[in-house]
Amino acid sequence: MSSSQAVRDSAKKLVNLLEKYPKDRIPHLVTFKEVQVSRFRRVAGLPSVDDKGKSVKDKKPSLDEIKSIINRTSGPLGLNKETLAKIQNSVSNEKFTEESINQQIHALSTIMGNKFRNYYDVGDKLYKPAGNPRYYQRLIDEIEGKKNENIFTAMRTVLFGK
């Protein structure tokens, strides 16, 4: 098996693992999962997909197409040579090996398996401090929008700490 085929197969495994990665609890414009899946889909040679799982054609030029445009012309879009040199130096040159992708697969599976959370368990003393045992639960409820505090309960919390 050639090295490029091995890299593609490893990237496919990484994409499958990334698709199992849980969604963020707080919605963001761009998430880790979305960025990494689109990045490694290109490496694996897989088509891009939208939220519903349908393949879509990329409207944006790929990194290779941008590099090609920059290298083919002496001054694209009226850029002087100094600016062009800065752009060429700042464009990342991603070269993946099978070993580097396998390391990323191992790291992601470790994160998804909560290996270090289980290994360095902190216990209830930190999760439920004696002075304010509901502190972290109130934060999580507020983030998830389950329970909103009104002005009176917020003032009570500030004044009395509970």
Side-chain angles (χ1 to χ4, degrees), residues 3-15:
S3 68
S4 65
Q5 185 61 32
V7 168
R8 281 188 172 170
D9 291 341
S10 296
K12 286 179 185 177
K13 289 179 190 174
L14 184 58
V15 167

Side-chain angles (χ1 to χ4, degrees), residues 4 7-12 14-15 18-19 34-49 56-67 92 94 96 101:
S4 65
V7 168
R8 281 188 172 170
D9 291 341
S10 296
K12 286 179 185 177
L14 184 58
V15 167
L18 281 165
E19 287 174 346
E34 292 170 358
V35 170
Q36 295 302 315
V37 166
S38 66
R39 176 181 180 202
F40 286 105
R41 276 188 170 281
R42 283 194 305 268
V43 174
L46 299 171
S48 299
V49 294
V56 294
K57 189 170 183 173
D58 287 335
K59 295 177 184 172
K60 299 178 185 176
S62 70
L63 189 60
D64 294 329
E65 292 171 340
I66 293 170
K67 286 180 186 178
S92 65
E94 292 184 326
F96 292 108
I101 293 178

Side-chain angles (χ1 to χ4, degrees), residues 26 28 36 40 42 45 50 58 106 157:
I26 302 171
H28 301 282
Q36 295 302 315
F40 286 105
R42 283 194 305 268
D50 61 2
D58 287 335
H106 177 70
T157 303

